[in-house]
Amino acid sequence: MNTQSHAILTFMLLRPFVSRGMTQELEGRAAGRVNTAIFLGALCPDLPLYLFFGWYTFIERASQTLVWGEYYFLPQWQGVFDFSHSFPLWGGGLAMGVWFERRELCLFMAAGLMASFQDVLLHFDDGHAHYFPFSDYRFASPVSYWDPSHYGSVFSIAEAVAVTGAAIWIFPRLQTRWGKAALMLGVISLWGTNALWSTLFHIF
């Protein structure tokens, strides 16, 4: 799943549970911290992918076919991606948050765990070892979020529609103009993702 989709859909799924446990006064004071914890947690699993992409695209100047067809599958990079999508890592962090009664830490870790789980369902042959470091098992889903040969064309449209609907629900629940602007940018960039990647494969 695309990174912006992780952030927006995870927020929509987690935020209602937090709101039920807040008084109106607490909602006003703490909503910004809660929102930030969920968004950052959902974004974190994919951060190594952006470092990987930036290095090989803008520093090494490699073609996108080479980047995603060969470099992506190098063992050292796969280890990094597996670590950032590890259920034991995020689950352990969530347990620590519960133990120490840290709400924002719980939300951050729960969002990372949820975003990682979403990827299990949407990667055919490029998924992660989500039980790292205890197992290198990789589930091959019949559905890919990008590969047309595994329903990627259909899913990409469904994903964009679902994320747009979620963004409409989220918009009034954000406290700042920066947050609302970032949300709108995420939705717009998601709709343009297919065209963006198509262009990159031809330019680099």
Side-chain angles (χ1 to χ4, degrees):
M1 183 179 287
N2 290 290
T3 305
Q4 56 269 61
S5 300
H6 283 309
I8 294 171
L9 293 177
T10 298
F11 184 93
M12 185 190 70
L13 293 170
L14 282 181
R15 189 61 165 76
F17 293 99
V18 182
S19 297
R20 290 173 193 153
M22 286 183 171
T23 64
Q24 185 174 0
E25 181 183 3
L26 185 59
E27 173 82 8
R29 291 201 311 266
R33 295 195 302 272
V34 164
N35 294 346
T36 300
I38 295 174
F39 275 123
L40 290 181
L43 292 172
C44 269
D46 280 352
L47 287 182
L49 288 166
Y50 285 92
L51 295 174
F52 160 83
F53 167 74
W55 175 263
Y56 285 112
T57 299
F58 301 110
I59 306 300
E60 297 290 336
R61 306 289 293 181
S63 71
Q64 292 304 300
T65 301
L66 190 60
V67 170
W68 299 106
E70 183 174 331
Y71 295 156
Y72 176 86
F73 294 99
L74 291 174
Q76 57 268 36
W77 279 112
Q78 284 296 299
V80 173
F81 304 147
D82 294 343
F83 176 82
S84 68
H85 289 82
S86 168
F87 291 164
L89 170 68
W90 293 106
L94 177 58
M96 289 181 59
V98 173
W99 178 266
F100 291 107
E101 298 182 344
R102 300 291 184 179
R103 181 181 56 199
E104 282 76 20
L105 179 60
C106 287
L107 291 171
F108 178 86
M109 292 297 176
L113 183 62
M114 186 174 291
S116 297
F117 179 75
Q118 290 162 2
D119 273 341
V120 174
L121 307 175
L122 298 169
H123 284 263
F124 171 64
D125 61 355
D126 57 351
H128 313 295
H130 289 279
Y131 296 99
F132 177 90
F134 303 109
S135 172
D136 59 359
Y137 171 75
R138 300 173 192 272
F139 175 69
S141 172
V143 179
S144 168
Y145 78 99
W146 66 271
D147 188 347
S149 63
H150 292 89
Y151 311 103
S153 299
V154 175
F155 181 82
S156 62
I157 296 174
E159 177 186 7
V161 171
V163 169
T164 301
I168 293 171
W169 180 87
I170 291 169
F171 191 83
R173 291 165 174 80
L174 298 180
Q175 305 297 307
T176 67
R177 293 179 180 178
W178 287 107
K180 292 181 178 182
L183 177 66
M184 293 174 63
L185 179 62
V187 174
I188 292 170
S189 66
L190 178 63
W191 279 100
T193 293
N194 290 339
L196 171 64
W197 284 110
S198 177
T199 301
L200 287 173
F201 272 92
H202 286 88
I203 293 177
F204 295 99

